[in-house]
Amino acid sequence: MSVTKSHHNLDVVHHGIVLISDENSTSRSSRLLLSKDELCIQVIDDGTAEPEEARDILMENATRQVVIVKKPDTGFGLSIKGGSENAQNMPIVISKIFKGLPADECGELFIGDAIVEVNGVSIEGQSHDEVVNMLKSSGDQVTLGVRHFTHMTPFLKPAHSLQPDSTLDQLFDGRSTRSNKAQSESRFSDSKWQQHIDGREKKWKTLTSLPLAMAYVTRYLWGTDNIRTNSFEVRAVDGRSSGIVHCEDTAALEQWISHISKHILSLNQKSIKMSNKYLHQSEQISYIGWVNEYLNDDDQEELKIRWQPRFLILKGSDVCFFDVPPLNSEDLNKCVYLYKCYDVAVKQVPNTSPRRDKRDNCFLIETPIQIPNHYLSFESPAGFELFEQAYYRTVYNTITQMQIIQSRTFACNFEGRPSGIVFDIKQGISLYDIPTKSYIWQYRFRDLQAVADDGKLCVQLSFTDDRSLNPDKIEVKDIECEDVVTVVFNLHSFVLAKIVSTDPDYLKANRYVGNAED
């Protein structure tokens, strides 16, 4: 149903009947109304449904007293975020609970709880470090006053909600029994049930409306590589969730995913344009969006999840990773990881090659430091292609149009002599001999035929040279340098920029990002 229709001042572009389940496996029939800016979730007004806002107020106003007792040689077993920093007063929120430690074993704390008291003392106005010190100085036992703070915990869920063990998950899972599958089909196809919830005879009540700007839509069970059958979830930038939306069939699912993703992308582009009005030309944003990162083994053991959402931004010459979307200019400086675009390599992992698990659309962002190398996954091939094109433009603009770096020199040794390998967007690749203070060879980027390295000390460059005495007219230059990976990554970036500068249509017609098998 894609016809535009008005529902209470909503310019609805898509709507339909679905089943929605929560983390406790409770399900109910619901109506989704999609506008250009938000996703509205409605249920039949039978006099018992409470709006989400009312439930949140009740939950957030209730303070629980939780006592945690340390074990020998352990901490309390939790991590926190937030606090009063730089004139911003953010709540202290529990961001991690480590399995098997006291905070987990007490059974009364959840990721997303806001700490309001430590041993009866209010922490209002305290900084993150001050609260950490209060916890450390509590000795072997601490009493926390906590509240469930829904709107300040973006994309953090209680650990039990990550486990795919709900009844509705089994009902809509393709591996379920035939009777369960038949039951789900009958619930969708029952004409009487459809007529009952059509809205003509019953009044609909809005439970919540989720803003789509910088929202996240996924088909996967949270933190895993298990994909839901005909189901998806939307999480807003403020952390609120649609619940698990179960569609009638694959066609309905694809329609919803397509429509929602389209509007998220459109709103993200508007956010980029608005932000760029206040940023210097060299700091312009070219990409924002969600991606999932595969966690390392230690994180898996502690959290029992394998994937974590990251908000990825390409800004100026920077590749930035965030845990949550930055909502102002100050937040832009609070990324988890920051790299220069020319110091990294992006390599696609083909779906036909071995992968870490069952997730598709995977790629690597390799850094000069072996750890961390980021193993990432998009929800769809289109998501990767969009990022890929933005990455091309970022590298090209950084090296050429913005004239930020145009030339880079790296210390090295060539034939036992101290030298410098120089990459220049105009002059090409050359070697500067330090003892004689002169360039001893120079080639154009188009002369470069191959690059090989051992990942440690040596890099080998092969050039076409008509002056060569070799029958194949190939000259091989062996160079030693301490930072081989950085040299190779920069060389690839300069080659890409040079190709685009001579052929602007290259970005549209080609895919330069490397293959993870290379």
Side-chain angles (χ1 to χ4, degrees):
M1 304 179 188
S2 58
V3 293
T4 301
K5 191 174 182 180
S6 178
H7 289 268
H8 302 290
N9 299 322
L10 279 179
D11 186 15
V12 177
V13 297
H14 194 67
H15 61 94
I17 304 301
V18 297
L19 291 180
I20 294 183
S21 65
D22 60 17
E23 63 188 41
N24 298 316
S25 305
T26 304
S27 68
R28 68 193 311 175
S29 58
S30 306
R31 179 168 70 173
L32 297 186
L33 305 177
L34 177 67
S35 71
K36 295 179 180 179
D37 301 310
E38 63 184 23
L39 179 67
C40 178
I41 301 174
Q42 297 182 330
V43 296
I44 298 171
D45 187 1
D46 56 5
T48 61
E50 273 191 285
E52 180 184 89
E53 290 78 5
R55 294 197 308 273
D56 289 343
I57 291 173
L58 290 174
M59 294 180 69
E60 292 180 7
N61 285 340
T63 300
R64 314 188 311 275
Q65 299 296 321
V66 180
V67 178
I68 311 176
V69 181
K70 284 184 182 178
K71 296 178 180 179
D73 301 322
T74 69
F76 290 118
L78 57 84
S79 294
I80 60 174
K81 288 184 177 180
S84 298
E85 305 285 349
N86 300 321
Q88 293 190 3
N89 188 17
M90 304 294 288
I92 295 290
V93 177
I94 297 176
S95 59
K96 289 184 181 180
I97 295 177
F98 299 102
K99 186 172 179 61
L101 294 183
D104 173 57
E105 293 183 342
C106 77
E108 299 182 56
L109 294 176
F110 301 94
I111 294 175
D113 282 344
I115 300 175
V116 296
E117 297 175 353
V118 176
N119 294 325
V121 178
S122 172
I123 64 169
E124 183 177 357
Q126 300 292 312
S127 70
H128 178 274
D129 290 342
E130 288 172 333
V131 176
V132 169
N133 289 332
M134 291 176 71
L135 293 173
K136 288 182 177 179
S137 62
S138 296
D140 294 334
Q141 178 175 312
V142 65
T143 301
L144 301 180
V146 298
R147 296 176 185 172
H148 185 67
F149 214 162
T150 305
H151 297 294
M152 297 305 298
T153 56
F155 303 97
L156 297 176
K157 298 287 285 183
H160 62 78
S161 70
L162 302 175
Q163 306 303 319
D165 57 0
S166 70
T167 303
L168 260 173
D169 292 340
Q170 297 170 9
L171 175 64
F172 286 86
D173 195 321
R175 296 169 294 182
S176 61
T177 64
R178 181 171 298 182
S179 60
N180 281 344
K181 182 177 180 181
Q183 181 182 355
S184 67
E185 290 177 348
S186 68
R187 293 189 69 179
F188 277 116
S189 60
D190 190 315
S191 60
K192 185 176 181 180
W193 179 75
Q194 288 278 12
Q195 190 174 23
H196 173 70
I197 62 173
D198 190 26
R200 299 173 184 172
E201 300 177 3
K202 294 292 181 179
K203 182 179 179 182
W204 291 92
K205 174 181 288 188
T206 298
L207 281 184
T208 187
S209 294
L210 303 177
L212 295 179
M214 292 187 284
Y216 174 64
V217 58
T218 181
R219 290 190 59 196
Y220 288 95
L221 293 171
W222 197 253
T224 76
D225 62 341
N226 297 321
I227 198 165
R228 295 181 183 271
T229 301
N230 295 339
S231 307
F232 67 93
E233 178 185 7
V234 177
R235 294 203 180 188
V237 69
D238 59 12
R240 288 179 295 155
S241 170
S242 63
I244 308 305
V245 180
H246 303 273
C247 300
E248 181 176 3
D249 52 31
T250 302
L253 171 73
E254 291 177 349
Q255 278 192 332
W256 276 113
I257 294 289
S258 174
H259 282 290
I260 293 173
S261 299
K262 174 184 176 182
H263 291 297
I264 290 174
L265 176 60
S266 176
L267 291 170
N268 286 355
Q269 293 300 317
K270 290 181 180 179
S271 296
I272 290 175
K273 290 181 179 179
M274 184 177 299
S275 298
N276 284 343
K277 290 180 179 179
Y278 305 98
L279 294 173
H280 187 269
Q281 184 64 27
S282 64
E283 296 294 317
Q284 295 284 292
I285 296 172
S286 60
Y287 175 86
I288 63 174
W290 285 101
V291 66
N292 274 274
E293 180 170 14
Y294 190 87
L295 301 178
N296 61 47
D297 293 337
D298 291 338
D299 289 332
Q300 291 181 44
E301 183 63 28
E302 293 170 352
L303 303 178
K304 298 302 180 183
I305 60 175
R306 283 174 289 183
W307 293 89
Q308 177 177 338
R310 300 284 196 194
F311 197 74
L312 195 57
I313 294 182
L314 299 179
K315 173 178 173 287
S317 60
D318 297 331
V319 180
C320 312
F321 288 77
F322 294 85
D323 280 335
V324 296
L327 301 180
N328 54 53
S329 57
E330 290 186 3
D331 287 346
L332 280 172
N333 299 320
K334 299 177 180 179
C335 54
V336 180
Y337 300 105
L338 174 67
Y339 308 101
K340 292 299 181 183
C341 63
Y342 44 79
D343 283 338
V344 301
V346 176
K347 295 185 177 181
Q348 187 177 16
V349 179
N351 289 338
T352 55
S353 68
R355 289 166 286 159
R356 303 267 177 101
D357 59 15
K358 295 182 293 185
R359 284 218 183 204
D360 292 330
N361 311 308
C362 298
F363 66 104
L364 286 166
I365 293 185
E366 295 187 342
T367 69
I369 305 172
Q370 187 174 2
I371 298 177
N373 277 336
H374 302 279
Y375 186 91
L376 307 164
S377 171
F378 278 103
E379 292 284 330
S380 67
F384 175 73
E385 291 175 6
L386 183 67
F387 166 76
E388 181 185 48
Q389 293 296 318
Y391 173 74
Y392 292 157
R393 291 192 298 272
T394 298
V395 172
Y396 169 66
N397 290 338
T398 298
I399 296 178
T400 58
Q401 290 186 342
M402 294 182 184
Q403 298 182 353
I404 296 176
I405 62 173
Q406 290 213 348
S407 177
R408 295 205 77 187
T409 302
F410 298 90
C412 66
N413 277 283
F414 178 71
E415 295 181 346
R417 297 172 65 86
S419 309
I421 183 74
V422 182
F423 306 139
D424 187 286
I425 194 63
K426 296 180 179 178
Q427 302 299 324
I429 306 168
S430 55
L431 190 94
Y432 182 79
D433 183 68
I434 294 177
T436 62
K437 297 181 180 181
S438 62
Y439 290 93
I440 58 177
W441 52 258
Q442 180 176 354
Y443 292 95
R444 299 166 297 184
F445 285 108
R446 67 183 182 186
D447 295 330
L448 182 65
Q449 296 298 304
V451 180
D453 69 271
D454 62 1
K456 298 177 181 179
L457 185 65
C458 300
V459 58
Q460 185 179 84
L461 307 179
S462 300
F463 298 97
T464 299
D465 190 344
D466 293 335
R467 299 164 298 179
S468 175
L469 300 178
N470 298 323
D472 56 5
K473 298 299 182 181
I474 297 294
E475 284 290 317
V476 177
K477 307 296 184 181
D478 291 310
I479 300 168
E480 294 181 353
C481 49
E482 293 184 357
D483 202 352
V484 168
V485 176
T486 299
V487 171
V488 172
F489 288 174
N490 273 260
L491 177 55
H492 287 170
S493 296
F494 271 81
V495 170
L496 169 61
K498 189 63 177 179
I499 292 173
V500 176
S501 66
T502 57
D503 182 10
D505 291 334
Y506 180 84
L507 291 182
K508 301 178 182 178
N510 294 273
R511 300 179 61 173
Y512 183 79
V513 171
N515 190 301
E517 296 177 336
D518 294 343

